Amino acid sequence: MLKRILVTGGAGFLGSHLCERLVEMGHDVICLDNFFTSQKANVMHLLDRHNFELIRHDITLPIWLEVDEIYNLACPAAPGHYQYNPIKTMKTSLMGAINVLGMAKRCRAKVLQASTSEVYGDPEVHPQPESYRGAVNPIGLRACYDEGKRAAETLFMDYHRMNGVPVRIVRIFNTYGPRMHPYDGRVVSNFIRQALAGEEITIYGDGSQTRSFCYRDDMVEGMIRMMHVGEDFTGPVNLGNPEEFTIRELAELVLELTGSRSRLVFKPLPPDDPTRRRPDIALARTKLHWQPTMPLREGLERTIAWFRSIDMSHYRPPTPRY
């Protein structure tokens, strides 16, 4: 059944791939974005498609559309971006959630919230199951994003309980792939950009902290499956790759795949930076019949090839507080 689908943050890294997939499925897709951290180039190839529409709009402000489904991806997701204007980041999570939930209530639409593994903070439980309530510093530098996403989950569940809005919540772990913003501050984009430029590879801490990296196509598949899962399952559900790598292992793999001679440089670990991050995806396997399929090496090869193909000057440089 073809549907009218709104994707907020649809010109971003993940949002653009989600829009692309939904357009290919034949749905009428509305991409809404304020282009704070995203690029119009990410969706330029979709502009001539009859079932795609692009709207420049800030989701902190109300908008009235008629839709059947909403994927709410709007929010800066990289530390350098969400810490640049932390108040606006919090408003995007809170007001954005209120506005899309209000629309979903009026239209009787299904709405999916792109939450984050950051709701677990610097976890004391490993790997992290959905039942774990997290260890978050509510007054730290990352709190605008961590707590904003936690509060958004609260709003989603309250709209579901009080108004019967059909909601879905996914907690996204580290995701990478083509169309990542080269200056987003994420470890994969940082390492690839630095390696290709022959710059020093910056590792924060001693490199023993871990992350789990999920390729963008696997993540988009998980989100679509979550939207279509049975009505009785709201989530939250973890979406991510359960394979765990140290940051140093990632840096060394990027050096190998790029053929770079860049050297590793170690700097102090930022405040509240998680030391371990790995999802427990048992729930996703059971409820969504989903698990990642892309090996890290192959995914990095594809991502590096994309980084080689772009003109870095077409991307906005780091913000002043980056």
Side-chain angles (χ1 to χ4, degrees):
M1 178 180 175
L2 300 183
K3 297 171 181 169
R4 296 163 298 179
I5 302 177
L6 170 65
V7 181
T8 71
F13 161 49
L14 267 182
S16 64
H17 289 293
L18 177 60
C19 284
E20 189 175 72
R21 176 78 181 278
L22 296 172
V23 166
E24 292 300 327
M25 293 169 69
H27 299 295
D28 283 322
V29 178
I30 302 172
C31 169
L32 186 149
D33 208 296
N34 69 351
F35 297 105
F36 171 54
T37 62
S38 55
Q39 303 285 320
K40 190 177 291 185
N42 287 345
V43 293
M44 192 70 72
H45 63 295
L46 297 175
L47 292 179
D48 61 351
R49 298 292 292 266
H50 74 277
N51 56 335
F52 180 79
E53 181 180 356
L54 175 62
I55 300 175
R56 182 187 287 265
H57 182 81
D58 192 318
I59 198 58
T60 62
L61 303 172
I63 187 169
W64 286 266
L65 300 167
E66 303 300 323
V67 296
D68 301 306
E69 292 179 353
I70 305 168
Y71 289 84
N72 186 36
L73 276 65
C75 189
H81 288 148
Y82 68 63
Q83 291 174 10
Y84 174 62
N85 188 338
I87 296 171
K88 180 63 182 287
T89 297
M90 181 70 84
K91 288 174 67 176
T92 300
S93 287
L94 293 178
M95 298 307 299
I98 289 170
N99 287 329
V100 298
L101 286 163
M103 187 188 305
K105 178 184 175 184
R106 179 178 59 81
C107 296
R108 296 187 175 92
K110 196 183 299 182
V111 55
L112 180 144
Q113 167 66 3
S115 191
T116 173
S117 60
E118 295 290 339
V119 300
Y120 299 124
D122 189 2
E124 298 159 336
V125 172
H126 196 76
Q128 295 83 56
E130 292 84 356
S131 58
Y132 176 55
R133 297 182 182 181
V136 178
N137 177 6
I139 59 172
L141 293 175
R142 304 171 72 101
C144 59
Y145 185 66
D146 302 355
E147 298 289 27
K149 289 290 190 177
R150 287 163 67 97
E153 287 193 17
T154 300
L155 283 165
F156 266 69
M157 290 309 300
D158 285 339
Y159 264 79
H160 173 67
R161 285 186 286 253
M162 294 194 67
N163 300 308
V165 175
V167 305
R168 304 287 184 270
I169 301 172
V170 296
R171 291 175 177 166
I172 297 173
F173 282 68
N174 292 62
T175 306
Y176 70 100
R179 294 189 206 145
M180 295 184 78
H181 196 298
Y183 298 105
D184 65 10
R186 291 185 172 106
V187 65
V188 172
S189 47
N190 270 0
F191 286 179
I192 294 175
R193 179 174 51 80
Q194 291 170 337
L196 292 178
E199 300 172 356
E200 294 176 339
I201 303 293
T202 306
I203 294 180
Y204 295 97
D206 62 6
S208 64
Q209 68 270 37
T210 68
R211 295 292 184 272
S212 303
F213 302 101
C214 185
Y215 191 65
R216 55 100 198 265
D217 292 351
D218 287 328
M219 184 58 64
V220 167
E221 175 65 23
M223 294 171 71
I224 291 174
R225 290 194 187 196
M226 183 60 176
M227 181 65 89
H228 296 158
V229 76
E231 295 295 325
D232 60 336
F233 184 60
T234 62
V237 62
N238 290 334
L239 295 182
N241 196 321
E243 291 189 24
E244 190 175 7
F245 295 88
T246 68
I247 297 301
R248 179 156 193 155
E249 285 174 333
L250 175 69
E252 291 171 348
L253 183 54
V254 168
L255 288 175
E256 176 192 338
L257 295 176
T258 58
S260 174
R261 295 185 178 181
S262 297
R263 68 187 187 94
L264 305 183
V265 174
F266 298 86
K267 295 188 176 181
L269 197 66
D272 300 324
D273 193 65
T275 54
R276 298 191 75 184
R277 182 65 59 76
R278 177 189 170 200
D280 181 334
I281 63 167
L283 193 59
R285 285 192 176 108
T286 301
K287 293 289 188 179
L288 309 182
H289 307 292
W290 175 90
Q291 64 181 20
T293 60
M294 177 65 72
L296 180 60
R297 175 178 287 270
E298 184 179 346
L300 284 177
E301 287 174 344
R302 296 186 184 190
T303 308
I304 290 167
W306 179 81
F307 268 77
R308 291 188 191 275
S309 73
I310 62 173
D311 184 342
M312 292 289 184
S313 67
H314 292 170
Y315 291 82
R316 290 189 293 272
T319 57
R321 296 185 189 177
Y322 199 78

